[in-house]
Amino acid sequence: MPDKIVLLPDNIANQIAAGEVIQRPASAVKELLENAVDAGATEIKLIITDAGKTLLQVVDNGSGMSETDARMCFERHATSKIKSIEDLFHIKTMGFRGEALASIAAVAQVELKSKRAEDDAGTLLEIENSTVMRQEPVAVPNGTSIAMKNLFFNIPARRNFLKSNAAEMRHIVDEFTRVAMSFPHILFTLTSNGQQLFHLEKGTLKQRVVQLLGNHYNAKMVTVKDDTDYMNIYGFTGKPKRPKNTGRPVLFVNNRFIKSPYLNHAVMNAYQEMIPSDSFPMYVLLSK
Ligand code: ADP
Ligand code: MG
């Protein structure tokens, strides 16, 4: 009997691994927005066509990348954010696994443009199926633009699995909202099919919540702030007076959006007796 085991080619291994990171356009929104935040951007634009199925682009004014880094960033396990296992315990960035861009490049056509402030020219890079198709110097503003085109063009089964544009767009707006809410000091815009859906000026958390959830929340929020030895909590909860309290719970720990039935229960307990048992208060709480 001949031996049976073969090593998968890189692009196939990347496609398989990508399945865990990029499930739908909204997964790429999360990864690309977080990379822009990690790059120290103060302005981040998200541009979408066809709910991200045709185009999903994030433009930032962050640190930019050198020519070599621009190429390296698409390799699996390529990261500038950790160097050793110990670093895992002091992570200050949103990303650290070095998998997002490798995954995106495995399942879409990607165009990257990036320039650091100290460089005269930027770098343009086109990647398809994890393969570099084009690399050349380009005149671009400082920062990075990453465009993901035709998601899953090379995996038709997965492309067919995507939901309607309306459903995928809802996921995109959810991810955008979560990141934008975590970083109110950053300007975010979201444009979909040429129409600007959000233009979020820099401001306080309260202003950001109102920008995202609507003006009517302004008078309905109570500020929460508590600093203990274990953690600092900051945020807003809906006033119990609202007759129909159907706000959504939003919890962030260290700037990461989390869902926690346990913590949700704790907040609900605090509302006990104050609101009908079938209604849900809105709250936005950040803990660090
Ligand atoms: P991770 O964020 O886990 O490090 P990614 O695949 O998301 O992995 O990114 C790989 C690397 O590419 C990052 O560590 C960073 O150095 C660089 N990078 C990615 N996006 C940007 C960006 N928008 N601006 C500057 N550098 C970036
Ligand atoms: Mg990342």
Side-chain angles (χ1 to χ4, degrees):
M1 285 285 274
D3 300 327
K4 295 186 283 196
I5 299 176
V6 295
L7 272 179
L8 288 174
D10 274 355
N11 64 329
I12 303 210
N14 279 342
Q15 274 183 18
I16 295 170
E20 318 228 320
V21 186
I22 306 297
Q23 276 135 13
R24 49 170 21 114
S27 331
V29 167
K30 172 175 187 289
E31 297 295 341
L32 295 177
L33 290 181
E34 289 185 352
N35 278 348
V37 170
D38 284 345
T42 57
E43 298 190 9
I44 302 176
K45 295 186 191 126
L46 173 59
I47 300 158
I48 303 281
T49 308
D50 294 335
K53 295 174 187 173
T54 308
L55 172 77
L56 195 158
Q57 182 178 15
V58 171
V59 184
D60 71 53
N61 67 348
S63 63
M65 282 182 262
S66 71
E67 193 185 331
T68 309
D69 284 351
R71 197 152 177 151
M72 268 300 281
C73 73
F74 291 105
E75 297 290 330
R76 186 156 297 278
H77 310 304
T79 180
S80 57
K81 299 171 192 173
I82 59 167
K83 292 200 169 65
S84 71
I85 280 286
E86 285 79 57
D87 293 344
L88 278 179
F89 300 96
H90 316 280
I91 287 179
K92 298 226 158 55
T93 52
M94 302 299 290
F96 59 86
R97 290 176 304 160
E99 292 202 292
L101 292 183
S103 299
I104 290 171
V107 295
Q109 295 155 334
V110 177
E111 185 197 77
L112 170 142
K113 290 184 244 166
S114 192
K115 182 174 125 36
R116 299 182 301 181
E118 64 260 45
D119 296 334
D120 292 331
T123 305
L124 166 76
L125 207 74
E126 281 176 17
I127 299 211
E128 196 172 301
N129 253 327
S130 307
T131 310
V132 177
M133 311 298 280
R134 196 150 83 105
Q135 172 162 10
E136 57 194 50
V138 66
V140 282
N142 296 338
T144 301
S145 154
I146 298 184
M148 180 182 91
K149 298 174 188 166
N150 304 316
L151 177 61
F152 299 137
F153 79 101
N154 50 354
I155 318 177
R158 297 213 54 194
R159 190 161 171 100
N160 292 336
F161 196 66
L162 292 175
K163 299 268 165 34
S164 70
N165 281 9
E168 294 298 345
M169 200 59 208
R170 270 197 301 279
H171 287 289
I172 286 175
V173 171
D174 276 355
E175 286 299 349
F176 175 84
T177 302
R178 287 167 188 172
V179 179
M181 211 171 287
S182 277
F183 301 97
H185 58 283
I186 298 177
L187 181 151
F188 286 90
T189 64
L190 168 53
T191 305
S192 167
N193 295 332
Q195 198 193 344
Q196 194 168 80
L197 302 184
F198 289 96
H199 179 104
L200 309 173
E201 288 292 340
K202 300 163 208 196
T204 61
L205 175 63
K206 185 165 190 183
Q207 286 165 335
R208 184 57 51 96
V209 170
V210 170
Q211 285 170 329
L212 284 165
L213 302 183
N215 251 329
H216 54 288
Y217 274 94
N218 214 347
K220 294 173 182 146
M221 295 191 296
V222 183
T223 306
V224 176
K225 191 163 166 26
D226 196 16
D227 296 326
T228 73
D229 292 345
Y230 304 111
M231 59 162 123
N232 307 321
I233 294 181
Y234 176 62
F236 305 95
T237 59
K239 286 186 187 164
K241 275 205 199 82
R242 293 183 64 198
K244 195 110 192 97
N245 241 312
T246 51
R248 270 198 293 175
V250 184
L251 270 177
F252 297 99
V253 175
N254 289 336
N255 287 329
R256 281 168 212 279
F257 173 84
I258 61 158
K259 283 189 179 145
S260 164
Y262 178 74
L263 293 175
N264 187 48
H265 190 72
V267 178
M268 293 301 286
N269 264 348
Y271 273 97
Q272 227 177 14
E273 315 275 293
M274 287 193 283
I275 56 173
S277 58
D278 60 344
S279 78
F280 305 92
M282 81 64 84
Y283 61 84
V284 178
L285 292 174
L286 282 83
S287 152
K288 286 195 187 178

